[in-house]
Amino acid sequence: VDPFTIGAGVAGTAAAGIFSPMIYCRFKECCRPNWVSFKSTGLKKDLDNKLFGQHVASRIILKAVDGFMSNDNPKKPLVLSLHGSTGTGKNFASQLIAENIYEKGIKSNFFHVLSATHHFPHPKQHLQTYKHQLKQLLRDSVTDCERSMFIFDEVDKMDPQLIDSIKSYLDYYDNLDGVSYRKAIFIFLSNAGGDSIAQTALDFWKAGQKREEIGHNDLGTSLSLSLFNNKDSGFFHSSLIDKSLVDFFVPLLPLEYKHVVQCAMAEMKARGRQPDQDVAERLAKDLVYFPKSERVFSSTGCKTVDTKLNFYL
Ligand SMILES: Nc1ncnc2c1ncn2[C@@H]1O[C@H](COP(=O)(O)OP(=O)(O)OP(=O)(O)O)[C@@H](O)[C@H]1O
């Protein structure tokens, strides 16, 4: 698990010992307010302006992170579980949170993304090693900075025993072996539950109701139940749900044509180009949508927009 990050942390700590922390931390990232501090209005602005079509997720994320970061003595770490089909913005939303906590954003040494298939590809053979590496990473990062953030991507593909092995870190413990994890943020990302979210969105669409009328209650409970009962979800009978360690289940809705257009426009802007509505619409029209007959939701969300854009420009 990311040995380079661990190495950099150790080297950093040693260097900080030689120089005065005041001078060292002016130039190098430290766990101090000039490097780590939450910008609530920044997060709201980013969720409103950059995360398209996700009014339910935006609202929950802002409330959850705002409440947690403004509490100087939380009783447990913040645990979010983001669910939705591919390309709906789960990684992107997590990055927006990081950008508004760390001065270095996703490049911060206190921000970690752990992907099931990349970091833990062979759980059958290496479960004990993975457990050990994971615990060490959590411990080292939180020792360096209590406001550390851990993203677990593709959690539906992660061995449930591996998830269960970190449950004490997500719980209400004052400290574990002298380290307190209460100020850390854990975010689980998965496609599990995506179908049930899409079905709810489709039901609203078929009933002629606006997307914006979909509320958390329409998605929340059925989502956590479907995760608990679905043996492919990675959460299957996992004590995370059993023990209510997940604070918020965050549903991401499938994206529509107009959101894909927005993504394409945003991507052109990010490349320093004048956004071209005609290019964005041509790209969006060529994507695959479901259900086949009605073509309401993009099958890949906004995921392939950046690579496809080269072809349309
Ligand atoms: N709702 C959204 N609003 C704005 N941009 C989005 C949105 N969803 C996706 N994107 C764009 O598409 C890219 C890929 O999305 P992202 O990686 O967040 O999807 P994901 O939901 O994590 O997918 P997967 O389940 O396949 O990992 C993002 O980097 C972002 O540029």
Side-chain angles (χ1 to χ4, degrees):
V1 175
D2 208 0
F4 299 107
T5 309
I6 296 170
V10 173
T13 311
I18 298 167
F19 300 104
S20 118
M22 282 282 274
I23 295 175
Y24 179 84
C25 295
R26 200 181 298 166
F27 304 105
K28 279 272 181 191
E29 185 184 39
C30 288
C31 190
R32 291 180 169 226
N34 55 327
W35 292 100
V36 182
S37 67
F38 177 55
K39 297 165 205 71
S40 174
T41 42
L43 181 60
K44 181 171 179 355
K45 229 167 111 187
D46 280 354
L47 291 169
D48 286 348
N49 300 329
K50 295 182 182 170
L51 185 69
F52 306 128
Q54 302 297 358
H55 67 284
V56 180
S58 292
R59 214 176 294 150
I60 304 171
I61 289 172
L62 185 63
K63 259 198 156 159
V65 179
D66 215 2
F68 179 73
M69 292 300 288
S70 57
N71 181 358
D72 213 34
N73 190 20
K75 301 255 177 309
K76 75 183 276 303
L78 178 65
V79 184
L80 305 179
S81 191
L82 273 54
H83 299 267
S85 45
T86 192
T88 49
K90 300 180 293 296
N91 275 286
F92 188 58
S94 312
Q95 289 169 9
L96 294 181
I97 299 172
E99 296 291 347
N100 287 287
I101 293 180
Y102 306 110
E103 191 58 32
K104 289 180 73 178
I106 60 170
K107 295 201 175 87
S108 168
N109 285 329
F110 313 126
F111 175 78
H112 307 273
V113 180
L114 300 155
S115 146
T117 48
H118 181 70
H119 292 99
F120 315 113
H122 308 294
K124 292 267 176 303
Q125 297 96 312
H126 302 298
L127 187 61
Q128 292 312 320
T129 310
Y130 293 162
K131 279 185 184 177
H132 176 76
Q133 288 177 329
L134 185 52
K135 284 179 182 179
Q136 193 178 337
L137 174 73
L138 301 187
R139 191 188 162 80
D140 287 348
S141 184
V142 173
T143 303
D144 278 351
C145 189
E146 51 192 1
R147 290 292 189 190
S148 287
M149 190 168 161
F150 305 95
I151 312 295
F152 291 84
D153 197 7
E154 306 177 306
V155 78
D156 41 337
K157 297 187 183 79
M158 210 163 135
D159 192 297
Q161 288 188 64
L162 194 55
I163 303 178
D164 275 359
S165 75
I166 58 159
K167 69 171 189 281
S168 46
Y169 297 85
L170 315 178
D171 214 333
Y172 289 82
Y173 292 113
D174 190 19
N175 74 72
L176 292 166
D177 299 324
V179 180
S180 170
Y181 294 84
R182 288 177 165 192
K183 289 190 176 177
I185 298 180
F186 293 83
I187 303 183
F188 298 107
L189 312 181
S190 91
N191 298 131
D195 289 349
S196 85
I197 296 168
Q199 189 55 52
T200 306
L202 190 62
D203 291 344
F204 268 71
W205 184 84
K206 282 186 174 161
Q209 286 178 276
K210 280 198 192 129
R211 180 185 180 91
E212 289 69 29
E213 287 175 39
I214 304 175
H216 188 208
N217 290 345
D218 299 309
L219 305 153
T221 319
S222 64
L223 175 60
S224 87
L225 278 178
S226 87
L227 297 176
F228 191 66
N229 292 322
N230 176 1
K231 68 175 164 39
D232 297 323
S233 75
F235 275 93
F236 183 57
H237 284 182
S238 155
S239 38
L240 296 192
I241 295 182
D242 220 6
K243 291 192 71 192
S244 302
L245 293 176
V246 176
D247 300 304
F248 297 92
F249 287 97
V250 185
L252 283 100
L253 297 167
L255 297 178
E256 298 175 12
Y257 171 85
K258 65 177 179 197
H259 305 122
V260 179
V261 171
Q262 285 180 298
C263 285
M265 297 288 278
E267 181 61 30
M268 284 185 262
K269 212 170 156 195
R271 293 185 189 188
R273 299 181 75 111
Q274 180 70 23
D276 184 330
Q277 182 80 18
D278 183 52
V279 168
E281 292 195 8
R282 275 193 291 125
L283 183 153
K285 269 188 197 124
D286 285 351
L287 293 190
V288 176
Y289 291 83
F290 69 93
K292 255 188 190 149
S293 46
E294 292 101 336
R295 299 189 84 234
V296 188
F297 301 118
S298 161
S299 301
T300 48
C302 277
K303 191 148 189 168
T304 52
V305 167
D306 59 338
T307 45
K308 287 219 163 68
L309 195 57
N310 302 328
F311 178 76
Y312 291 88
L313 282 172

